[in-house]
Amino acid sequence: YTKGDKRMIKAAQKRFTDFVALDYPQYKNRITPDRITPDMMEHFVEYLQSISKGEGALTHWKRWRKIVKAAVRQDVLRKDPCDGVICKADEEALKKDILSQDEIKQLSRTTYRGQNPDIRRAFLFTLYTGIRFCDIKDLTFGNVDFSNKILTFNQKKTQGHSSKSYVDIPLNDDLITLIGAPSTDDRDEKIFKLPSQTMCLKALRHWVARAGISKHITWHCGRHSFAVNILTNGANIKTVASLLGHSGLQHTEKYTRAIDSLKQDAINSLPKLEIL
């Protein structure tokens, strides 16, 4: 597993141990494989859905399925207790908060004493390019063609799995400024010297709060915000898919649905007519 997937595997395991302690306290300290039944898995899905937001329940269920399948392969479990148990979620719906263009301006104008400048630059860069955290943390000056103003990199999520894992992003003057200049001649020098993902997330949430934005913003919300905002400004879906590094339009379509939702919210915000 990748480092990020290991983190999610551990999170799914913790969800299960918390669930057992709550609903099956007799197995709190020890549970044998034969006690993990399809009926228990049905209840586990209900538990995940009760404590999760957005796609969280489905995400943890998928990682839990990986654990169970590995246990079956290694003969720890005789049969797969998750077989036939479904955790329903609309994977094409955009359920994370996004930052509007006004909120992005608000965030960019907000600074505070002790703020990490690299975290600040990196998240603003994500808001204007849609690059995932796992990619932005490893960007080097070697990825930048300054003369042609193009950033090229290989996406870690799809590397080795897709023919379209390489992404080319045109850079404007603002993005060139965010990138800055290398301090050495080493092309492998990282553009953003970032701490751990946990530290970056804590700093981001503090920054968002200081900006007076009450939304639950994670690093990945920056990617979603980028997609929704450029679609709102008239970009076509194929262009957005290309900039995000999607191999097809399926994963990009959820952003068009978000646009429709925003349009509906705008109409609903109008004062109610009193028709006589």
Side-chain angles (χ1 to χ4, degrees):
Y1 300 126
T2 63
K3 185 176 181 181
D5 209 22
K6 282 181 182 176
R7 181 171 56 85
M8 289 304 300
I9 288 284
K10 289 179 180 178
Q13 184 179 2
K14 186 179 186 305
R15 289 285 195 281
F16 179 69
T17 55
D18 290 346
F19 157 72
V20 169
L22 183 66
D23 284 20
Y24 297 85
Q26 67 272 32
Y27 305 137
K28 180 179 179 180
N29 298 318
R30 181 176 182 272
I31 185 169
T32 55
D34 59 293
R35 300 293 185 184
I36 303 176
T37 64
D39 183 60
M40 178 183 280
M41 293 300 93
E42 292 277 5
H43 288 123
F44 183 41
V45 166
E46 292 173 4
Y47 170 79
L48 288 175
Q49 292 173 332
S50 70
I51 65 167
S52 303
K53 292 182 178 179
E55 298 175 20
L58 183 59
T59 298
H60 285 99
W61 176 246
K62 285 181 176 178
R63 297 313 192 282
W64 174 250
R65 290 291 314 259
K66 283 190 175 185
I67 295 172
V68 169
K69 286 179 179 178
V72 172
R73 285 196 304 270
Q74 296 172 29
D75 294 325
V76 175
L77 291 169
R78 292 183 181 179
K79 294 192 300 182
D80 184 351
C82 299
D83 190 28
V85 180
I86 298 173
C87 181
K88 293 183 179 180
D90 185 356
E91 294 184 81
E92 296 307 313
L94 182 60
K95 298 179 180 177
K96 288 185 179 293
D97 283 337
I98 60 169
L99 291 168
S100 68
Q101 295 175 62
D102 286 340
E103 287 170 332
I104 291 173
K105 289 179 183 177
Q106 190 175 334
L107 193 65
S108 67
R109 292 169 183 157
T110 302
T111 58
Y112 58 90
R113 187 175 181 179
Q115 184 179 29
N116 185 312
D118 282 287
I119 294 176
R120 176 186 173 83
R121 287 191 305 121
F123 189 67
L124 289 174
F125 199 77
T126 291
L127 287 168
Y128 278 80
T129 60
I131 301 177
R132 298 180 183 90
F133 180 84
C134 62
D135 292 319
I136 205 165
K137 70 181 180 63
D138 289 334
L139 287 181
T140 69
F141 286 97
N143 294 119
V144 184
D145 180 346
F146 284 97
S147 58
N148 293 307
K149 293 186 177 180
I150 295 176
L151 175 73
T152 303
F153 65 96
N154 195 359
Q155 300 177 96
K156 283 186 170 51
K157 186 174 181 179
T158 57
Q159 187 174 352
H161 304 291
S162 171
S163 60
K164 297 184 179 180
S165 62
Y166 273 93
V167 178
D168 296 318
I169 297 179
L171 301 171
N172 58 23
D173 291 339
D174 288 338
L175 291 173
I176 293 290
T177 300
L178 282 174
I179 289 171
S183 59
T184 67
D185 293 330
D186 184 6
R187 286 175 56 82
D188 292 330
E189 179 186 350
K190 290 187 177 180
I191 296 173
F192 308 105
K193 284 78 172 177
L194 298 174
S196 68
Q197 186 171 3
T198 300
M199 290 298 295
C200 286
L201 182 57
K202 286 181 179 179
L204 173 60
R205 287 177 175 169
H206 181 68
W207 181 20
V208 168
R210 291 291 291 263
I213 300 170
S214 59
K215 293 178 178 177
H216 179 75
I217 299 299
T218 65
W219 206 277
H220 210 64
C221 293
R223 179 174 172 85
H224 295 321
S225 301
F226 165 75
V228 169
N229 286 325
I230 61 173
L231 277 168
T232 301
N233 289 340
N236 67 64
I237 190 170
K238 286 187 177 180
T239 300
V240 177
S242 177
L243 289 170
L244 292 175
H246 289 165
S247 57
L249 300 182
Q250 178 185 357
H251 296 298
T252 319
E253 286 175 349
K254 63 184 176 184
Y255 298 115
T256 63
R257 291 172 61 180
I259 296 296
D260 291 339
S261 175
L262 290 172
K263 288 178 180 177
Q264 185 64 55
D265 289 343
I267 293 297
N268 292 341
S269 70
L270 294 171
K272 187 174 179 62
L273 281 172
E274 295 183 9
I275 302 175
L276 302 176

